[in-house]
Amino acid sequence: MARPVSDRTPAPLLLGGPAGAPPGGGALLGLRSLLQGTSKPKEPASCLTSRDTPSPVDPDTVEVLMTFEPDPADLALSSIPGHETFDPRRHRFSEEELKPQPIMKKARKIQVPEEQKDEKYWSRRYKNNEAAKRSRDARRLKENQISVRAAFLEKENALLRQEVVAVRQELSHYRAVLSRYQAQHGAL
């Protein structure tokens, strides 16, 4: 007995949950209610066209419920002053931003004689020093953002691995229930 075509809209995929709830508790809620007989009344099987399969889930729409409170000092170091605070939960780095940067050899310093250090020389030195400072600050900011985002992803990954284990255990349980049902009543 399968659900009618009109009842086939998949339930939202919930990962995580409130404190104290078993991990992955919402992920197989539809299957649980189907096996326990608490789903909607069934229509005749003649209106069914295929098996009840879940629709694909866009990974970017899945929200993992977890607590992640980065150190405010880290967030301050990862945010541009006067702009929105860096949010490691929402920020996505492009492939280009995450590419390793080549190590450049510094050019040899050339000593400029004192008699050639005119106004033009000091103007160039000042501009170069300011550009170098901006470049170092931008690099430091990007490194801080990446490290905060990496900490968030590490924690999210650990939580998701726990949920995968819980969902696999739950799936194993439901497969055992299904096989016992099929042994008693025949194939579905």
Side-chain angles (χ1 to χ4, degrees), residues 25-82:
L28 295 176
L29 188 59
L31 181 58
R32 210 181 270 144
S33 64
L34 181 65
L35 290 174
Q36 293 172 350
T38 58
S39 59
K40 294 183 180 180
K42 312 291 187 271
E43 291 180 10
S46 61
C47 68
L48 297 177
T49 57
S50 68
R51 296 192 93 172
D52 186 21
T53 57
S55 61
V57 176
D58 180 18
D60 292 333
T61 61
V62 175
E63 185 161 332
V64 180
L65 302 175
M66 62 182 254
T67 56
F68 177 73
E69 295 301 325
D71 184 18
D74 289 343
L75 284 182
L77 291 172
S78 301
S79 302
I80 300 171

Side-chain angles (χ1 to χ4, degrees), residues 107-169:
R108 272 191 98 125
K109 289 188 177 183
I110 300 172
Q111 293 294 329
V112 177
E114 283 295 323
E115 61 271 0
Q116 290 182 354
K117 293 183 180 179
D118 57 358
E119 189 62 36
K120 182 179 173 185
Y121 169 83
W122 289 114
S123 170
R124 282 183 167 172
R125 290 298 319 130
Y126 177 76
K127 286 180 183 177
N128 183 263
N129 289 344
E130 291 298 312
K133 182 180 183 309
R134 283 193 305 273
S135 176
R136 284 190 300 270
D137 290 345
R139 180 180 46 83
R140 222 175 275 125
L141 177 73
K142 182 67 65 189
E143 287 172 356
N144 291 339
Q145 288 176 345
I146 290 172
S147 66
V148 171
R149 175 82 175 145
F152 166 73
L153 292 174
E154 288 284 335
K155 186 168 184 176
E156 184 181 53
N157 190 28
L159 179 71
L160 290 174
R161 285 182 184 279
Q162 289 174 350
E163 289 194 27
V164 165
V165 167
V167 169
R168 283 182 179 167
Q169 289 172 345

